[in-house]
Amino acid sequence: MELTIIGFAMIVAGGWIVLAGGLRHALGFLMFSALFNGSSAVDLPALGGSSIPPVQFALLFVYLRLLLPGGGTLPDLPRAMRANRWFAAFALYGVASAFILPRMFAGLIDVAPMRALMTGDLFATVPLEPTSQNLTAASYFIGALLIVIAVWSMMRRQGMAGTMVAILVAMAWFHAVTGVVATVLRDTPGDAVFDFFRNSNYAQMDDAVGGFARIRGVLPEASTYASVGFALFVANAELWYRSVRSRRTGAAALVMGLVLFFSTSSTAYLALAFYGLVFAARTLALPQVADFRKARIALAALFAAMFFGAILLLVSPDLIRSLIDVVKRMTVEKSASDSSLQRVFWAMQGWEAFKFSWGIGIGAGSFRSSSLLYAILGSMGVIGVVTFAMYLAGLIQPGRRSSWVATDDELDTVGGALGVAAVLSIVPAMVNSPSPVPGVMFAFLAAGSLAVRPRMVEVRRAQRRPAGQHERLAEEMLDELRQEGLARP
């Protein structure tokens, strides 16, 4: 175990949060750590070159802060498990599958391992066997569950919903600015600053398409950058649509969306197109609840972009042709590339593993996929798919107005925006995730949503309780919610 400079800096910051900081600092520290997912806080050479990323290292200090005597969050930890029981079942089964299933099916099926084979064969496979990657996948599942519990517990405090909104805005600006600056400084001495943060044992994909440098910021590749950026974009866009700090969230969504468009990432293009369809379908299919003013603003922004593109075409036609060529190469033409064929092969491994194991799965971390859905299907089988689907359904809650538009209750509105954003944030993972573990941005948004919205249901239930022996219990519940800022006096 080797502590890196980044890990040392996190010890200093985390130590201050434990000793003198508040829950707002802890939440910001944890969430901002996710922007450095290509970094290493602690190297683990004994585990085949694995490392502890900053976000998981930050969890240590966050839990120390949560468990401090008098902190008031200890009783919330069991409640957090109950509120996120479907995700807990999903994660714990993922941990169990990583240790049990590779041994059960060892040598019975050939798979492409998580670590690429240096054979030159795009479709190389090896017999299934337990590896350090199973342990890595299990640790990521545990980390994701701990993130969900910690964020849910912190979001229960008064004012924390507004804190998360502010953090998401700041993260979007930071992610967008670092992406642009890193691209501008590419192949200059200033690029060393960003290389310092890319110290993990990931393949560093510093490439260009059609003469355009791919945007990746402090992360190892453009696809990873786009996945994080899209989660931040859609979170701010959903908050803006519901008029939650509209100016700040709207500006953050606009800037992040523009950077994603110029990122030359096929993941970004697919995710942005999918969100555009969802946005349009929501407006057209639910006109009785749609916010047409915000829809007109979004449409105006689209036309403004087209007008700007027309001006560029007149001023610099070669530039526009180059941009169009990049988009074509990263979308239409990429479907016939060797990389695309390899990704299809990796994804179909999940389906083959699912059929071979009779719906049980062959264990998290046992094979490399290129789709979150097929990774869950092949690694964790029916149990993994059902538990994750039930968790997603609990996030959407389609019967609630806040899932679609703003409501009179700000907490309910924020919860709806975060829930929808959490589900949409996994769109990039559906086409590029090598493992069955959802991203940390999904965990942040999902936990934040469930910490806010279900409590509104509890308030209504408490208000409907009959008089008599249950009346005191209802009053106690309402008093508790008022103290936490989740119910009005």
Side-chain angles (χ1 to χ4, degrees):
M1 182 181 295
E2 300 175 359
L3 184 69
T4 67
I5 297 177
I6 294 174
F8 179 77
M10 293 189 69
I11 289 177
V12 174
W16 177 84
I17 288 173
V18 172
L19 297 176
L23 293 181
R24 289 177 172 83
H25 304 111
L27 181 63
F29 179 58
L30 181 64
M31 292 182 68
F32 259 90
S33 298
L35 297 181
F36 299 90
N37 218 28
S39 305
S40 170
V42 179
D43 291 331
L44 303 172
L47 294 179
S50 297
S51 61
I52 299 177
V55 68
Q56 292 200 4
F57 195 54
L59 273 174
L60 170 64
F61 303 99
V62 170
Y63 270 92
L64 286 174
R65 177 62 185 81
L66 290 175
L67 300 177
L68 277 177
T73 57
L74 186 60
D76 280 333
L77 299 183
R79 298 174 191 169
M81 284 290 288
R82 289 196 299 270
N84 296 276
R85 55 190 175 274
W86 285 111
F87 189 81
F90 172 73
L92 293 176
Y93 182 70
V95 173
S97 74
F99 289 103
I100 298 173
L101 299 182
R103 290 167 173 81
M104 181 183 300
F105 296 107
L108 300 180
I109 183 175
D110 291 343
V111 295
M114 288 292 291
R115 289 195 177 277
L117 300 172
M118 301 303 177
T119 62
D121 184 0
L122 295 176
F123 312 107
T125 59
V126 297
L128 174 65
E129 63 177 359
T131 67
S132 62
Q133 294 304 305
N134 296 115
L135 178 60
T136 300
S139 69
Y140 283 162
F141 268 120
I142 294 173
L145 180 58
L146 290 176
I147 287 174
V148 165
I149 293 173
V151 172
W152 192 94
S153 301
M154 288 187 284
M155 287 289 289
R156 293 270 295 158
R157 303 297 99 184
Q158 184 175 6
M160 291 301 289
T163 298
M164 175 173 274
V165 173
I167 292 171
L168 288 170
V169 171
M171 288 175 68
W173 278 101
F174 180 87
H175 195 61
V177 170
T178 53
V180 173
V181 173
T183 304
V184 172
L185 296 180
R186 184 173 180 259
D187 296 331
T188 70
D191 196 26
V193 175
F194 295 91
D195 281 335
F196 170 78
F197 292 101
R198 304 181 189 120
N199 65 332
S200 64
N201 194 25
Y202 293 114
Q204 305 296 321
M205 306 295 291
D206 185 15
D207 54 351
V209 179
F212 289 90
R214 306 189 70 189
I215 298 177
R216 58 177 182 146
V218 296
L219 295 172
E221 60 174 340
S223 178
T224 307
Y225 179 89
S227 297
V228 176
F230 179 72
L232 294 170
F233 162 76
V234 76
N236 281 282
E238 288 297 304
L239 289 166
W240 166 79
Y241 182 72
R242 290 166 175 78
S243 300
V244 179
R245 302 188 185 182
S246 292
R247 291 186 178 180
R248 296 180 182 181
T249 55
L254 178 62
V255 170
M256 193 69 255
L258 288 173
V259 173
L260 288 175
F261 177 78
F262 289 104
S263 66
T264 69
S265 168
S266 55
T267 299
Y269 298 144
L270 177 64
L272 288 173
F274 184 83
Y275 181 67
L277 291 175
V278 170
F279 192 93
R282 174 172 54 189
T283 303
L284 298 175
L286 300 169
Q288 66 276 18
V289 297
D291 188 335
F292 284 99
R293 186 178 68 86
K294 291 297 179 67
R296 286 194 296 269
I297 293 175
L299 189 61
L302 178 60
F303 279 119
M306 294 172 61
F307 179 73
F308 178 71
I311 294 177
L312 276 181
L313 180 60
L314 294 174
V315 175
S316 180
D318 291 338
L319 175 62
I320 291 296
R321 292 192 188 98
S322 298
L323 286 172
I324 294 174
D325 181 61
V326 167
V327 174
K328 287 175 58 180
R329 290 175 61 180
M330 298 308 297
T331 54
V332 179
E333 296 177 3
K334 190 171 183 178
S335 61
S337 65
D338 290 341
S339 173
S340 177
L341 295 175
Q342 185 184 45
R343 287 177 177 271
V344 171
F345 171 72
W346 285 342
M348 293 310 297
Q349 280 193 123
W351 176 243
E352 295 299 326
F354 177 80
K355 293 190 297 181
F356 172 80
S357 62
W358 292 90
I360 299 175
I362 61 175
S366 295
F367 68 95
R368 184 179 187 86
S369 184
S370 61
S371 167
L372 177 65
L373 174 60
Y374 283 101
I376 295 174
L377 196 67
S379 300
M380 303 163 61
V382 174
I383 295 178
V385 172
V386 170
T387 52
F388 191 60
M390 291 298 294
Y391 190 64
L392 295 181
L395 292 174
I396 289 289
Q397 301 184 55
R400 299 185 66 169
R401 182 182 177 85
S402 58
S403 294
W404 310 107
V405 291
T407 66
D408 294 334
D409 192 308
E410 184 177 0
L411 285 174
D412 199 29
T413 299
V414 172
L418 295 179
V420 173
V423 175
L424 291 173
S425 72
I426 64 174
V427 170
M430 290 297 180
V431 294
N432 70 4
S433 178
S435 80
V437 185
V440 292
M441 289 303 304
F442 169 81
F444 293 148
L445 299 172
S449 174
L450 290 180
V452 174
R453 283 215 292 179
R455 302 303 291 178
M456 301 303 105
V457 175
E458 293 181 24
V459 171
R460 289 195 291 270
R461 287 177 178 172
Q463 291 171 336
R464 289 198 302 263
R465 284 183 182 273
Q469 60 177 340
H470 299 296
E471 187 174 2
R472 184 177 62 182
L473 179 61
E475 288 299 323
E476 290 176 355
M477 182 180 293
L478 286 171
D479 287 341
E480 176 190 349
L481 294 172
R482 292 187 188 109
Q483 292 172 6
E484 295 173 357
L486 296 175
R488 295 190 179 93

